[in-house]
Amino acid sequence: MDYFLGLDCSTQGFSGILIDFQEKETVFSHSINFDISLPQYGTQHGVYISNDGKVVHSNPLMWIEALELLFATFLQEDLPLNEIKLITGSGQQHGTVYLNKSFEPTLKNLNKEKTLVSQIKGTFSRETSPVWMDSSTTKECEEIRNQLGGLKSTIQITGSNTFERFSGPQIRKFYKDNYDKYAQTSIIHLVSSFLSSILLGKNSPIDHADGAGMNLMNIKTKEWDDGALDSIAPDLKKKLPPLTSPLSIIGKIAPFFVDRYGFSSETLLIPWSGDNPSSLIGVGLTEKGKAAISLGTSDTYFTYLKDLFVDLSGEGHVFGAPTGDYMGLICYKNGSLAREQVKDSFNLNWISFSNILAKTPPGNYGKIMLPYFYPEIVPLVSKPKVHRFGFDDKDLEGNVRAVIEAQFLSMKIHSEWIQEPPDEIYATGGASTNVEMLKIAANIFNTKIRKFEVTNSAALGAALRSAKSYYNSRNQNFDWTELVENFLNIEESIIIHPNKKYEILYKDMLKIYQKYENYILRNGEDPELSRQFFIKKYFKN
Ligand code: XUL
């Protein structure tokens, strides 16, 4: 039997999916929620947020303890761990972990009688890790961008503009603010390569897919870019692991896991990747013409790109894809936490929230929200503030519909650089189970949306990447599409079609929404008259 394990360390939890390749089925799937299962770390939604909302960190020890909890569950369930051929995982992107010189020796000498947490505890040169929600490096972004020759050149070199959450600006801030600790740092890992190192029992490389989210990798050559490294901090190259291609086998699982949990000592490993690149595989985006929306703590919109092609406007990113090609992506911070704020402020549950979406009309009587509950990435908003036009924060139905319409209107507007409009969009992530939300997305994008049974596409993607690499190494080359389709249960997926009746309404609303962004963020003209015209056209007959 060939089993493959896919893990995922996301913002709010840690998951694992075990697949049986011959039977083409998921044998076991389990998630651990950080706040609930590991309350001793005191996180909220998996993170620590500063009062001004800008500094957002998490705790790398908590991630390791979650891994131990997950493996303990595997033991309780009596899973065939010794038959797993290859393991990999994915992590929330961009987050950095700072380790001192005792990290690798500790990993090489792990004692099976002790927990991982107790042994790894003393190996950090920075106790907490800045994660993708952090937006405290505005100054560093500017410094790096200038050093790299401005916006266009930064994008052409690294695949993205400098972004506050990206690893490069974060490392620069650490170097500037905590020089001594920077000097004590022997290696800086991404969330992905940190956890990959734990399983490997020594420092793991970073894969090209996740490496692209650092502003440090040359997006064309897929090597560390010397100019970019110099713009961050001295001696940085010595503190980074090497880069490698996503499916390359990096070694076998460390003896600790063989002795403590019963994995086979022959279990192979490939580097962990970012959650979005892994989801690209988990939803089956291995060909052109389709896109995916992932509705989780972050909302992302992404597509597979056969060829490198960047967004010179600076809002989007190009990352590597596990296939060895590229992916285009935009990311929102106001994803599930913004939806939750609206839900909680009216004491709703998700069912009552959906019922309101079902009974309120497309266009929301012209009530428009710019939903910056948190600082936003796209468009760039540093100070959180929710703007409402035509209603206030007491209007229950108005707020519920407005936040969802705003999220998809913004996504439609800001994803247009990526490619021709897709002919189908795949939905994944926790909130993709909400059909009423997906109906709104289908109408705004004017595109059918396919919803799969599996919502944790990052973990599934990791299991599928494992299988692909394993069979490649044995010269059994499965086609990506064939491999993925076996596990996605396409026949059981649900398709949500756009209602053509609302095509023009949402085209009009998109223009007005764009004007509001312009009005609030770039001192553009007040679009109130257009909004009134919209209300008259659609709601006053
Ligand atoms: C993508 C991004 C987020 C994180 C969260 O660029 O920042 O989607 O990967 O999981």
Side-chain angles (χ1 to χ4, degrees):
M1 285 293 179
D2 291 352
Y3 290 94
F4 297 94
L5 177 60
L7 302 166
D8 175 49
C9 179
S10 70
T11 317
Q12 303 200 49
F14 203 115
S15 314
I17 288 186
L18 183 66
I19 59 171
D20 176 336
F21 194 79
Q22 274 79 21
E23 294 297 323
K24 300 188 175 81
E25 65 179 23
T26 296
V27 180
F28 188 70
S29 165
H30 187 67
S31 289
I32 283 158
N33 177 288
F34 297 134
D35 295 359
I36 296 172
S37 300
L38 296 163
Q40 64 273 33
Y41 290 91
T43 55
Q44 271 186 329
H45 300 296
V47 293
Y48 309 116
I49 306 190
S50 65
N51 288 339
D52 65 359
K54 291 197 171 187
V55 180
V56 186
H57 283 215
S58 186
N59 195 324
L61 267 186
M62 174 178 78
W63 302 331
I64 297 191
E65 193 156 350
L67 175 84
E68 296 193 286
L69 275 184
L70 187 68
F71 282 2
T73 312
F74 288 173
L75 276 185
Q76 273 163 20
E77 295 287 328
D78 213 11
L79 297 182
L81 298 184
N82 62 345
E83 291 185 56
I84 297 175
K85 299 287 187 253
L86 201 150
I87 304 177
T88 194
S90 64
Q92 45 175 308
Q93 296 195 257
H94 319 296
T96 34
V97 186
Y98 300 75
L99 298 137
N100 63 32
K101 62 177 190 303
S102 66
F103 179 60
E104 197 168 50
T106 304
L107 286 188
K108 287 186 174 162
N109 292 297
L110 287 173
N111 176 346
K112 72 164 177 140
E113 305 301 335
K114 297 184 185 161
T115 63
L116 272 176
V117 166
S118 65
Q119 299 180 76
I120 309 271
K121 212 177 188 146
T123 67
F124 296 92
S125 55
R126 189 183 197 180
E127 297 303 315
T128 57
S129 290
V131 295
W132 69 275
M133 292 170 78
D134 190 289
S135 55
S136 65
T137 64
T138 313
K139 187 144 194 312
E140 289 72 20
C141 284
E142 203 185 311
E143 290 164 356
I144 299 164
R145 189 166 51 241
N146 289 341
Q147 185 76 26
L148 291 181
L151 177 73
K152 282 196 180 152
S153 127
T154 305
I155 298 169
Q156 272 153 347
I157 296 169
T158 73
S160 300
N161 187 10
T162 47
F163 276 84
E164 291 165 314
R165 69 193 194 287
F166 274 38
S167 324
Q170 289 293 340
I171 296 171
R172 180 161 175 77
K173 182 161 174 259
F174 182 58
Y175 153 71
K176 282 168 51 186
D177 296 353
N178 298 282
Y179 179 74
D180 288 351
K181 288 193 174 171
Y182 176 78
Q184 285 159 22
T185 303
S186 318
I187 188 138
I188 303 174
H189 274 296
L190 287 178
V191 177
S192 58
S193 62
F194 168 64
L195 291 161
S196 194
S197 306
I198 303 286
L199 291 186
L200 185 61
K202 61 180 185 188
N203 282 313
S204 158
I206 290 179
D207 92 326
H208 296 148
D210 210 16
M214 301 175 81
N215 283 139
L216 296 178
M217 188 186 91
N218 186 301
I219 195 71
K220 292 191 196 95
T221 62
K222 299 186 177 169
E223 285 166 6
W224 294 128
D225 186 89
D226 287 331
L229 297 187
D230 287 348
S231 74
I232 308 287
D235 294 330
L236 182 53
K237 203 170 198 165
K238 290 190 209 134
K239 297 181 196 281
L240 291 174
L243 288 158
T244 193
S245 53
L247 297 187
S248 60
I249 290 176
I250 54 171
K252 292 182 182 163
I253 196 164
F256 173 85
F257 297 96
V258 176
D259 299 341
R260 196 168 164 99
Y261 298 102
F263 288 94
S264 154
S265 57
E266 292 306 305
T267 315
L268 298 169
L269 303 174
I270 58 171
W272 285 41
S273 192
D275 53 359
N276 291 292
S278 200
S279 286
L280 188 82
I281 300 302
V283 295
L285 282 190
T286 51
E287 283 166 15
K288 275 159 77 168
K290 302 204 170 14
I293 49 179
S294 167
L295 306 173
T297 314
S298 66
D299 280 356
T300 55
Y301 175 102
F302 53 85
T303 60
Y304 161 82
L305 299 174
K306 179 85 200 114
D307 302 304
L308 175 61
F309 145 76
V310 290
D311 173 25
L312 288 179
S313 82
E315 283 186 342
H317 317 303
V318 175
F319 299 147
T323 54
D325 309 307
Y326 292 98
M327 67 185 287
L329 177 141
I330 54 168
C331 176
Y332 290 87
K333 211 188 295 195
N334 286 281
S336 72
L337 299 185
R339 293 185 280 274
E340 248 170 73
Q341 280 218 15
V342 174
K343 170 181 83 68
D344 295 344
S345 66
F346 294 104
N347 286 322
L348 300 171
N349 55 36
W350 286 118
I351 295 175
S352 46
F353 189 94
S354 298
N355 289 343
I356 293 169
L357 292 179
K359 72 176 194 198
T360 45
N364 203 15
Y365 304 107
K367 297 171 188 175
I368 291 184
M369 178 192 280
L370 297 187
Y372 311 135
F373 291 84
Y374 296 86
E376 189 49 278
I377 300 166
V378 180
L380 182 64
V381 177
S382 310
K383 275 206 183 123
K385 179 167 179 190
V386 179
H387 304 264
R388 294 177 179 84
F389 304 96
F391 69 122
D392 63 21
D393 60 353
K394 311 272 173 326
D395 177 346
L396 185 156
E397 295 187 353
N399 277 279
V400 168
R401 188 160 193 104
V403 68
I404 304 301
E405 286 191 335
Q407 289 178 328
F408 292 122
L409 288 167
S410 175
M411 211 177 247
K412 166 88 176 134
I413 292 167
H414 295 281
S415 62
E416 260 157 18
W417 67 272
I418 298 189
Q419 59 170 29
E420 298 292 299
D423 52 38
E424 186 169 346
I425 297 177
Y426 295 163
T428 180
S432 66
T433 52
N434 189 320
V435 174
E436 291 305 327
M437 268 178 61
L438 297 187
K439 280 187 193 164
I440 296 177
N443 286 337
I444 289 178
F445 279 93
N446 193 25
T447 306
K448 65 178 180 226
I449 302 225
R450 192 185 287 272
K451 165 185 166 314
F452 296 106
E453 237 176 289
V454 180
T455 54
N456 192 338
S457 53
L460 177 64
L464 295 172
R465 283 159 43 225
S466 300
K468 174 77 173 143
S469 168
Y470 179 74
Y471 293 116
N472 277 0
S473 74
R474 300 169 65 95
N475 292 325
Q476 280 176 271
N477 282 313
F478 287 96
D479 173 64
W480 275 112
T481 313
E482 180 193 334
L483 183 87
V484 173
E485 279 178 0
N486 283 338
F487 289 87
L488 269 181
N489 292 337
I490 300 261
E491 324 74 56
E492 283 164 38
S493 62
I494 297 173
I495 296 184
I496 294 145
H497 291 274
N499 188 337
K500 293 287 166 194
K501 213 165 105 187
Y502 302 118
E503 188 178 341
I504 308 292
L505 178 146
Y506 275 125
K507 268 197 180 144
D508 287 346
M509 199 174 187
L510 274 163
K511 287 192 201 127
I512 300 175
Y513 188 87
Q514 204 156 11
K515 285 187 190 169
Y516 272 107
E517 279 191 351
N518 213 23
Y519 170 51
I520 293 297
L521 304 174
R522 289 174 287 274
N523 286 322
E525 223 174 275
D526 182 350
E528 179 59 17
L529 275 181
S530 312
R531 200 179 66 82
Q532 288 303 336
F533 187 76
F534 177 83
I535 297 173
K536 210 158 155 203
K537 181 167 169 191
Y538 293 104
F539 298 102
K540 284 207 175 139
N541 323 326

